Amino acid sequence: MANLPFDIEQLKNISRRHFLWESAAGLGAAALGTFLAGCDARNAIPKNLASATDPMLPKPSHFPGKAKRVIYLHMAGAPSQLELFDFKPELQKLHNQLCPPSLLEGKRFAFIRGTPKMLGPQADFKQRGQSGAYVSEHLPHFAKMADEVSFLKGVYTDQFNHAPAQLFVHTGSPRLGRPSIGSWVTYGLGSENNNLPGFVVLTSGGKTPDAGKSVWGSGFLPSVYQGVQCRSEGDPVLFLSDPEGVDRNLKKKTIDAINDVNRQHFQEYNDPETLTRIAQYEMAFRMQVSVPEVMNINSEPEYIHQLYGTTPGKASFANNCLLARKLVEQDVRFVQLFDWGWDSHGTDENLAIDIGFRNKCREIDRAMTALLLDLKQRGLLEETLVVWGGEFGRTPMQENRENKNNPFLGRDHHVEAFTMWMAGGGIKQGMTWGETDEIGYYPINGKVSVHDVQATILNQLGMDHEKLTYHFQGRPFRLTDVAGKVISEIIA
């Protein structure tokens, strides 16, 4: 075959990649309208366009919110409400008796098979404060804060495995691909500090949640809204430090050069993700100064370290609670703490409800109490919504994995009822909403769904969960899907 002359530009224009770019240009220009507020995307863009159209700039809420920011404490693995907040003396009377068939018929459990035995509470309870809320001996520090929080005793879900249940709690769907609640919040409200991410994630317990980093992902929202994972030891963010031989001036010149190319790319293809990329490069450069400063707890006074039980340089839940306070103090919009290790099946000592579970409670009790106290004494609690919970509850019966007794006491996953609590941010103090039956199996009043909890969080921030939507694949999506009702009973 004879060699034919060709035009590089022609080949480039008909390549698959460029065909897709050209096909998407119209959609990209339309999507860009949400950022440019009607500006002509074809016009040459000024060098400061990324700042002028920064998707993280503060946005007005649907109505005045009582909270400006959120700290969400998620206990990955699902702590037992029956050993913490849901006191059931009748369950103690049934201890070691065979479970009634009525509690098993038509039910699906993660591991229980056959007929298990009932398991009485493995903790002593007392009524606390003026509210009289029951809090167990496992949380002696937190028990003093019972009058500051609202307990939700009748939360339910329909997911009984960890990964889909965690996705459901944080993204509103048990399937991958949906934005997390922190992403929805920053998409809806932006951030009040342009030197720090609007959505920060801190993990402890040695592992990430079973659902992985998708629980703080941005899903189909622009990637600028995804959570930024920070660490309490080493570099706060991976690759935050400059490589050896690269100073800050050189880094700035490098970023400017990259963003000049990105601006040219945007002018040609009108892809809104290019603006996100520009904004993220510039944010990363600013973070090199701001993040190490706010993530350094060494400068905190000794009484604060004593209050939280922190150990600088160590990855821990206590350190993360202190960091959460420092972050919201700098107007970070959404701070998510994940603490792994709450899956109390009774298959070994660490997962025993009367051994490992007690140890996990000791790890969080002092620190989460200190967080509430510290926020309150600084005048931050009124405008900061603090949320605590897991992805589901634990069964009133003892787990008998595959119909065989486990070597230690444990409880299986339970979807019918579990306890969460909220504090600050316009939430009533000393309130308990919802009640379960005499063994803690079903809610008998005050039953609320995961979507109800999500709707309430958005409501406290001034957002209508039915109006906070994003068009994707031909229809509007929202965090609460087609459900959700604000839990007005706990709102001050």
Side-chain angles (χ1 to χ4, degrees):
M1 181 180 295
N3 290 331
L4 297 175
F6 58 85
D7 187 323
I8 295 295
E9 286 301 314
Q10 273 191 321
L11 286 180
K12 185 177 75 170
N13 289 336
I14 63 172
S15 70
R16 178 177 178 272
R17 176 176 296 178
H18 279 72
F19 170 76
L20 292 173
W21 274 116
E22 295 296 337
S23 300
L27 293 175
L32 183 62
T34 61
F35 294 147
L36 296 184
C39 293
D40 185 357
R42 293 184 181 86
N43 292 337
I45 58 179
K47 199 161 187 173
N48 65 350
L49 176 66
S51 298
T53 61
D54 184 353
M56 292 302 293
L57 287 175
K59 306 179 183 72
S61 55
H62 297 139
F63 50 85
K66 295 182 178 180
K68 289 184 177 179
R69 56 196 79 87
V70 175
I71 299 175
Y72 195 132
L73 312 173
H74 181 90
M75 308 297 106
S80 172
Q81 74 282 4
L82 297 169
E83 271 70 39
L84 292 180
F85 307 117
D86 208 9
F87 179 47
K88 298 299 171 187
E90 288 299 316
L91 185 58
Q92 189 63 57
K93 298 175 183 178
L94 298 173
H95 183 66
N96 271 337
Q97 295 184 28
L98 290 177
C99 179
S102 60
L103 299 181
L104 304 173
E105 292 172 356
K107 301 296 182 182
R108 297 177 67 192
F109 300 96
F111 296 103
I112 285 177
R113 302 292 183 271
T115 305
K117 294 178 179 179
M118 303 302 291
L119 178 59
Q122 300 299 299
D124 292 329
F125 283 78
K126 289 183 180 178
Q127 287 182 283
R128 314 289 183 167
Q130 295 297 313
S131 65
Y134 280 101
V135 179
S136 84
E137 61 179 337
H138 291 344
L139 300 175
H141 294 283
F142 181 76
K144 301 171 185 176
M145 302 297 291
D147 287 342
E148 291 288 338
V149 308
S150 277
F151 293 98
L152 296 171
K153 295 287 189 69
V155 186
Y156 73 94
T157 180
D158 59 9
Q159 300 298 316
F160 64 86
N161 283 325
H162 293 293
Q166 289 166 2
L167 285 169
F168 190 38
V169 165
H170 294 288
T171 73
S173 171
R175 290 171 290 280
L176 294 168
R178 299 288 183 89
S180 63
I181 185 169
S183 297
W184 278 111
V185 168
T186 50
Y187 161 68
L189 294 177
S191 177
E192 294 183 339
N193 187 333
N194 67 351
N195 293 324
L196 290 168
F199 177 17
V200 173
V201 178
L202 302 165
T203 63
S204 56
K207 295 183 181 180
T208 55
D210 299 76
K213 298 183 179 182
S214 297
V215 288
W216 61 81
S218 59
F220 47 69
L221 292 177
S223 56
V224 71
Y225 299 116
Q226 69 185 4
V228 175
Q229 185 179 1
C230 293
R231 306 183 302 166
S232 54
E233 63 175 345
D235 274 352
V237 179
L238 291 175
F239 312 116
L240 188 67
S241 300
D242 290 327
E244 187 176 348
V246 176
D247 61 21
R248 191 158 173 79
N249 288 333
L250 179 57
K251 174 62 72 68
K252 183 66 169 67
K253 291 178 180 178
T254 303
I255 290 174
D256 286 345
I258 292 171
N259 280 345
D260 281 344
V261 174
N262 283 330
R263 289 183 185 92
Q264 294 172 22
H265 191 273
F266 174 76
Q267 284 180 296
E268 187 174 358
Y269 298 111
N270 302 319
D271 182 3
E273 272 293 309
T274 306
L275 289 184
T276 293
R277 192 175 304 121
I278 293 171
Q280 286 174 323
Y281 270 116
E282 293 180 349
M283 168 66 80
F285 182 72
R286 296 192 297 270
M287 282 170 57
Q288 286 190 300
V289 173
S290 57
V291 168
E293 180 179 349
V294 74
M295 298 294 289
N296 178 19
I297 64 173
N298 292 307
S299 59
E300 292 290 319
E302 183 58 28
Y303 80 91
I304 288 292
H305 290 296
Q306 290 294 326
L307 181 66
Y308 283 86
T310 48
T311 305
K314 179 183 177 183
S316 69
F317 179 79
N319 282 13
N320 288 349
C321 283
L322 177 51
L323 288 170
R325 187 269 288 167
K326 287 171 65 68
L327 288 163
V328 298
E329 206 169 25
Q330 297 298 318
D331 290 320
V332 171
R333 184 74 71 184
F334 202 100
V335 182
Q336 179 83 64
L337 273 63
F338 289 96
D339 186 61
W340 185 87
W342 290 90
D343 199 14
S344 306
H345 286 289
T347 50
D348 59 42
E349 187 174 290
N350 288 331
L351 298 181
I353 201 72
D354 55 342
I355 305 174
F357 181 80
R358 287 174 180 262
N359 294 333
K360 287 299 297 180
C361 290
R362 292 190 189 101
E363 290 178 14
I364 70 162
D365 179 34
R366 183 175 173 184
M368 71 180 186
T369 306
L371 176 61
L372 294 178
L373 285 169
D374 202 8
L375 289 171
K376 186 174 182 179
Q377 72 182 5
R378 293 169 188 271
L380 293 169
L381 188 57
E382 288 184 6
E383 295 183 336
T384 303
L385 176 63
V386 182
V387 183
W388 183 97
E391 59 265 32
F392 41 63
R394 314 303 297 199
T395 57
M397 62 283 286
Q398 182 176 346
E399 182 178 318
N400 61 337
R401 185 160 294 205
E402 304 305 326
N403 206 21
K404 297 178 182 178
N405 290 332
N406 287 341
F408 296 89
L409 295 178
R411 301 185 186 277
D412 203 355
H413 307 166
H414 189 56
V415 301
E416 305 289 350
F418 62 104
T419 300
M420 297 182 68
W421 58 257
M422 296 185 188
I427 295 296
K428 286 181 179 178
Q429 297 175 309
M431 174 76 178
T432 294
W433 178 247
E435 180 185 1
T436 56
D437 59 24
E438 60 185 8
I439 63 170
Y441 199 89
Y442 293 111
I444 56 176
N445 63 61
K447 184 177 181 179
V448 297
S449 70
V450 165
H451 284 137
D452 295 339
V453 173
Q454 293 162 345
T456 305
I457 293 172
L458 295 180
N459 181 81
Q460 295 310 97
L461 290 164
M463 289 187 287
D464 184 333
H465 72 104
E466 294 184 351
K467 294 180 180 177
L468 182 64
T469 61
Y470 188 86
H471 240 82
F472 178 67
Q473 292 184 337
R475 76 170 179 90
F477 281 81
R478 69 185 207 217
L479 171 64
T480 53
D481 197 33
V482 294
K485 179 183 178 182
V486 174
I487 309 169
S488 59
E489 291 81 2
I490 68 168
I491 296 175

